[in-house]
Amino acid sequence: MKLRTILLASLITLNLNALTIGEIPQQVSIANENGGLVKDGGVWSSETIKDKVMVMFYVDPDEKDLNNKFSAALKEKKYNRENYASLAVINLAASWKPNFAIESALKSKQEEFPDTVYVKDKNRVLVEAWGLRDDSSDVIIFDKAGKVIFQKDGQMLEAEIIQALELIEANI
């Protein structure tokens, strides 16, 4: 019985689509009923993750402040936007808040931070495609080739913030 329980638990937690450090994730797009770009409602594609070091936040709106220390550290660095990009994908399906309220706040954020690409994920597309954690705050850093070089689910510790910043600087 114990072995069967352990096997079942392992299979449940195993995600074959999970992101892997050093690899380019499977290509995915978010559009139409699944969401899309906040700026104009267009299609967002992971094919845009290349040519620059990119920091991506995949966030449950209820957990939006979880990695504010890392966000503040990024702002303080003032990385050159020719070599660095930021992406915020909002997991609308993870929140109890109505989509219209979140979308209104996102439009304001997009105007306030025009260099950051904001994307609405209405149906947990990246949870399914990349194995990102639902109801959390995920931080993923990609190199210029689009390979994952850092991933953290949940609140980043100080040592992880330092590590992430060092990886960005080493890859810019």
Side-chain angles (χ1 to χ4, degrees):
M1 183 68 175
K2 282 184 182 180
L3 181 59
R4 196 166 39 183
T5 303
I6 291 170
L7 268 171
L8 182 58
S10 296
L11 288 174
I12 289 170
T13 58
L14 179 64
N15 186 339
L16 298 176
N17 295 328
L19 297 180
T20 303
I21 301 294
E23 293 186 11
I24 296 172
Q26 77 174 41
Q27 197 267 321
V28 64
S29 296
I30 300 176
N32 303 318
E33 70 277 351
N34 288 324
L37 296 169
V38 169
K39 184 177 181 177
D40 60 10
V43 176
W44 174 79
S45 172
S46 63
E47 289 182 346
T48 62
I49 300 175
K50 61 182 176 185
D51 302 325
K52 297 179 181 186
V53 172
M54 181 171 289
V55 175
M56 179 179 135
F57 291 86
Y58 186 75
V59 182
D60 169 349
D62 304 325
E63 303 293 337
K64 66 181 173 55
D65 298 328
L66 200 59
N67 283 306
N68 279 352
K69 283 180 87 175
F70 181 55
S71 294
L74 288 172
K75 287 178 194 170
E76 194 174 291
K77 290 291 185 177
K78 297 180 181 164
Y79 292 120
N80 182 333
R81 287 292 179 159
E82 290 181 25
N83 301 311
Y84 165 82
S86 53
L87 171 65
V89 182
I90 312 306
N91 181 358
L92 296 174
S95 180
W96 59 269
K97 297 173 186 168
N99 283 357
F100 75 86
I102 298 168
E103 290 178 19
S104 176
L106 286 175
K107 285 182 183 177
S108 296
K109 282 281 197 187
Q110 183 67 82
E111 290 170 8
E112 183 180 354
F113 302 104
D115 291 330
T116 299
V117 174
Y118 284 86
V119 178
K120 300 175 286 187
D121 184 350
K122 294 182 176 182
N123 294 311
R124 296 179 170 95
V125 172
L126 293 183
V127 170
E128 297 296 323
W130 288 355
L132 299 183
R133 188 154 164 222
D134 203 4
D135 302 310
S136 189
S137 174
D138 294 272
V139 176
I140 303 105
I141 303 174
F142 302 89
D143 70 7
K144 291 179 180 181
K147 294 178 186 173
V148 177
I149 58 173
F150 179 90
Q151 180 181 8
K152 171 65 179 182
D153 167 43
Q155 188 170 23
M156 294 174 71
L157 303 172
E158 190 66 35
E160 292 167 324
I161 292 172
I162 292 167
Q163 176 192 12
L165 295 173
E166 288 173 350
L167 282 168
I168 291 167
E169 290 166 15
N171 283 275
I172 281 186

